[in-house]
């Protein structure tokens, strides 16, 4: 949403309210200042407003004249106002009194008796304790937020803010990484003192902040802040196992630093690849044998799955990240046979090829040493040629279906006429798939039916499904 569209929304809301009662608050105001100071365009995501001096009922009635209103959480006095296909949150100012540890342990007062300054003071950092009067644009800055933005600084107003909501410590780290700001010394000391409290925060809230952190230009900055503050030990302790674990001559860094360098080298617009980059060598410390880390990709796959499940990431994301970690040690042999290349595509998955190659390039960049040769690029070019040939890369690409196999087995008397399939059907399809991988021209219905009948005849001798051996399988590169 561009600034002109936002200003149109501002004017529409202000048109039904008394002059001087409507304020923009939150990240929008902060990001407006950042855009001016850094001379960069800012994409506005959330539009949050505060209305002062009016009771909730009157605010609702006034907004009903321009659109639909819904009160969400009456105790918080928040109204969702929808007009022209846009929904914005409009709140009455509120003050909060902590009654324990955590973002839910608060006594809340809201309404016209609460000042705007009190409302701003309850926010996490001074750079977020800003408001802008609408219309007109006068900045309201009672706590020095603009000065912090100018100084590129993240600072608390009150040291107990992390105790009241421990998630704010993660927000400090992700803001520092994304905005490339420094955390003030006293604020960082408060993070260290409160680090253990992060265990009281839900996995979902932690996940959301970690994902924001991973969108930074250099997310390693945020990860390092989590480590130095003690938070990482509660979130991803497995990463810390790599500190001080030296590698072989192909790496300039220990395992921990290599994971961070690979993370930074991965594209910022693909969080799946960034997760894989961060975790791709997480299994190395548990598999170290001298200069070798045999099967670390398999150990790392299991560890990555556990780590991402703890954060309640979507199952599809976990599946793809796990696959990327498991396959990241592939051998990039530009002289591999076409059948070997097709098996590589099958194993990695056509849908994951680009990400797998992207992870490899980030892995090389993260080694801290000069690139050795162009074998990866030549291998990728060969794979692209194979893909362009539109070979069968999964069983569903075969020019034959499970029903065809069932019918042939029923005709041969190996399945009852009422059968809808069974293990033998899948086994036969896999055998046909292997034959098509060896020779793509076999993926033609008549040929496949002929091969199918040959395999059914073999079933009586127990030779069906003998695994094809390809001496050119790329396997894995040296760890």
């Amino acid at each position: 949403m561009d600034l002109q569209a936002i200003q149109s929304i501002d004017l529409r809301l202000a048109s039904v309210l008394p002059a001087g009662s409507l304020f923009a608050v939150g990240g929008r105001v902060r990001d407006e200042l950042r855009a001016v100071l850094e001379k960069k365009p800012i994409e506005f995501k959330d539009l949050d407003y505060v209305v002062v001096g009016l009771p909730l009922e009157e605010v609702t009635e006034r907004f009903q004249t321009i659109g639909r209103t819904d009160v969400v959480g009456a105790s918080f006095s928040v109204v969702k106002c929808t007009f022209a296909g846009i929904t914005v949150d409009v709140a009455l100012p509120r003050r909060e009194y902590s009654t324990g540890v955590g973002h839910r342990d608060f006594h809340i007062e809201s309404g016209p008796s609460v000042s705007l300054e009190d409302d701003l003071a309850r926010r996490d950092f001074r750079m977020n304790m800003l408001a802008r009067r609408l219309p007109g644009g006068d900045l309201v800055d009672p706590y020095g937020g603009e000065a912090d933005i100018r100084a590129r600084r993240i600072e608390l107003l009150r040291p107990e803010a992390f105790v009241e909501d421990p998630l704010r410590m993660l927000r400090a780290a992700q803001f520092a990484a994304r905005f490339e700001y420094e955390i003030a010394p006293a604020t960082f000391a408060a993070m260290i003192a409160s680090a253990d409290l992060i265990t009281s925060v839900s996995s979902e809230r932690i996940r959301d902040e970690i994902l924001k952190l991973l969108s930074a230009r250099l997310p390693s900055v945020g990860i390092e802040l989590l480590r130095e503050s003690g938070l990482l030990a509660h979130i991803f302790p497995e990463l810390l196992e790599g500190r001080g674990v030296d590698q072989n001559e192909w790496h300039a860094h220990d395992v921990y630093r290599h994971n961070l360098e690979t993370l930074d080298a991965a594209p910022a617009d693909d969080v799946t690849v960034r997760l894989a980059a961060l975790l791709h060598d997480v299994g190395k410390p548990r598999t170290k044998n001298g200069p070798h880390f045999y099967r670390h990709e398999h150990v790392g796959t299991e560890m990555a799955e556990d780590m991402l499940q703890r954060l309640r990431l979507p199952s599809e994301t976990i599946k793809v990240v796990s696959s990327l970690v498991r396959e990241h040690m592939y051998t990039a042999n530009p002289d591999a046979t076409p059948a070997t290349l097709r098996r590589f595509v099958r194993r990695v998955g056509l849908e994951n090829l680009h990400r797998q190659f992207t992870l490899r390039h980030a892995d090389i960049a993260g080694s801290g040493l000069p690139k050795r040769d162009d074998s990866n690029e030549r291998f990728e070019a060969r794979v692209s040629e194979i893909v362009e040939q539109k070979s069968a890369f999964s069983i569903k690409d075969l020019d034959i279906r499970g029903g065809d196999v069932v019918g042939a087995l029923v005709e041969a008397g190996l399945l009852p006429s009422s059968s809808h399939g069974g293990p033998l059907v899948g086994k036969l399809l896999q055998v046909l798939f292997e034959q098509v991988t060896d020779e793509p021209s076999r993926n033609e219905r008549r040929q496949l039916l002929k091969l199918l009948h040959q395999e059914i005849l073999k079933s009586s001798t127990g030779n069906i499904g003998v695994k094809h051996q390809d001496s050119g399988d790329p396997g894995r590169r040296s760890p």
Side-chain angles (χ1 to χ4, degrees), residues 366-386:
S367 71
L369 296 175
K371 187 169 172 290
R372 297 198 293 269
D373 54 42
D374 65 347
S375 59
N376 281 287
E377 288 80 3
R378 291 190 292 123
F379 176 75
E380 291 168 21
R382 289 284 318 281
V383 171
S384 294
E385 292 173 1
I386 290 293

Side-chain angles (χ1 to χ4, degrees), residues 177-362:
R178 287 172 52 220
F179 299 166
E180 301 182 12
Y181 283 13
E182 295 288 335
I183 299 177
T187 297
F188 195 68
M191 286 176 65
I192 295 173
S194 302
D196 291 351
L197 298 179
I198 198 64
T199 57
S200 68
V201 178
S202 72
S203 297
E204 291 82 1
R205 297 182 78 215
I206 292 174
R207 172 199 64 209
D208 292 346
E209 297 304 318
I210 293 295
L211 294 182
K212 291 175 185 176
L213 187 157
L214 293 180
S215 71
R217 184 178 68 88
L218 295 176
S220 65
V221 171
I223 299 294
E224 271 289 87
L225 288 170
L226 296 181
R227 180 189 67 80
E228 294 169 357
S229 64
L231 289 163
L232 192 61
H234 297 290
I235 300 169
F236 279 161
E238 297 90 341
L239 285 175
L240 297 175
E241 296 176 18
R243 280 180 49 80
V245 178
D246 294 330
Q247 303 191 76
N248 53 32
E249 68 273 18
W250 305 118
H251 294 84
H253 309 295
D254 67 9
V255 172
Y256 172 77
R257 189 68 226 179
H258 170 63
N259 281 330
L260 295 197
E261 294 290 334
T262 303
L263 169 64
D264 284 348
D269 61 353
D270 192 333
V271 70
T272 301
V273 175
R274 282 212 148 167
L275 284 167
L278 178 64
L279 305 180
H280 78 287
D281 276 348
V282 72
K284 275 189 170 180
R286 299 186 185 184
T287 58
K288 184 172 175 59
N289 182 5
H292 303 294
F293 303 91
Y294 296 116
R295 293 183 61 79
H296 75 271
E297 66 271 31
H298 298 287
V299 173
T301 298
E302 294 180 1
M303 294 172 68
E305 288 176 352
D306 289 342
M307 295 165 75
L308 299 182
Q309 285 170 356
R310 290 204 304 267
L311 290 189
R312 304 284 198 274
L313 266 89
S315 58
E316 182 60 25
T317 300
I318 296 174
K319 177 182 176 182
V320 175
V321 172
S322 298
S323 176
L324 295 174
V325 172
R326 183 177 59 252
E327 301 297 341
H328 83 273
M329 291 295 291
Y330 68 86
T331 298
N333 178 11
D335 300 319
T337 66
T340 295
L341 296 174
R342 285 190 287 272
R343 283 189 167 77
F344 168 78
V345 176
R346 280 175 44 182
R347 191 176 72 241
V348 170
L350 189 62
E351 69 282 3
N352 292 331
L353 271 182
H354 176 70
R355 281 173 161 159
Q356 196 74 65
F357 292 153
T358 300
L359 176 59
R360 169 59 60 88
H361 289 291

Side-chain angles (χ1 to χ4, degrees), residues 342-343 346 391-393 397-399 430-444 448 451:
R342 285 190 287 272
R343 283 189 167 77
R346 280 175 44 182
S391 303
F393 295 115
D397 294 329
L398 293 176
D399 195 19
Q430 186 62 43
V431 171
L432 295 176
F433 186 30
E434 290 291 343
Q435 297 205 33
V436 168
T437 300
D438 286 338
E439 181 48 66
S441 65
R442 292 170 178 162
N443 193 22
E444 189 272 327
L448 289 174
L451 292 170

Side-chain angles (χ1 to χ4, degrees), residues 106-237:
F106 282 94
H107 172 69
I108 298 171
E109 295 179 7
S110 64
S113 64
V114 180
S115 70
L116 177 63
E117 288 72 19
D118 282 347
D119 183 86
L120 296 175
R122 68 180 176 80
R123 300 173 189 273
D124 48 13
F125 306 108
R126 298 198 309 192
M127 68 177 184
N128 291 329
M129 297 175 183
L130 297 167
R132 192 175 292 283
R133 190 184 305 275
L134 301 172
D138 295 337
L139 184 68
V140 180
D141 181 17
Y143 305 109
E146 181 180 10
D148 279 6
I149 292 172
R150 289 184 179 276
R152 306 178 70 84
R153 178 175 60 231
I154 300 169
E155 188 163 16
L156 293 172
L157 181 65
R158 299 172 294 106
E160 62 269 22
F162 289 149
V163 176
E164 294 171 352
D165 187 356
L167 186 74
R168 288 169 170 166
M169 295 183 285
L170 278 181
R171 286 174 59 81
Q174 64 98 343
F175 282 142
R178 287 172 52 220
F179 299 166
E180 301 182 12
Y181 283 13
E182 295 288 335
I183 299 177
T187 297
F188 195 68
M191 286 176 65
I192 295 173
S194 302
D196 291 351
L197 298 179
I198 198 64
T199 57
S200 68
V201 178
S202 72
S203 297
E204 291 82 1
R205 297 182 78 215
I206 292 174
R207 172 199 64 209
D208 292 346
E209 297 304 318
I210 293 295
L211 294 182
K212 291 175 185 176
L213 187 157
L214 293 180
S215 71
R217 184 178 68 88
L218 295 176
S220 65
V221 171
I223 299 294
E224 271 289 87
L225 288 170
L226 296 181
R227 180 189 67 80
E228 294 169 357
S229 64
L231 289 163
L232 192 61
H234 297 290
I235 300 169
F236 279 161

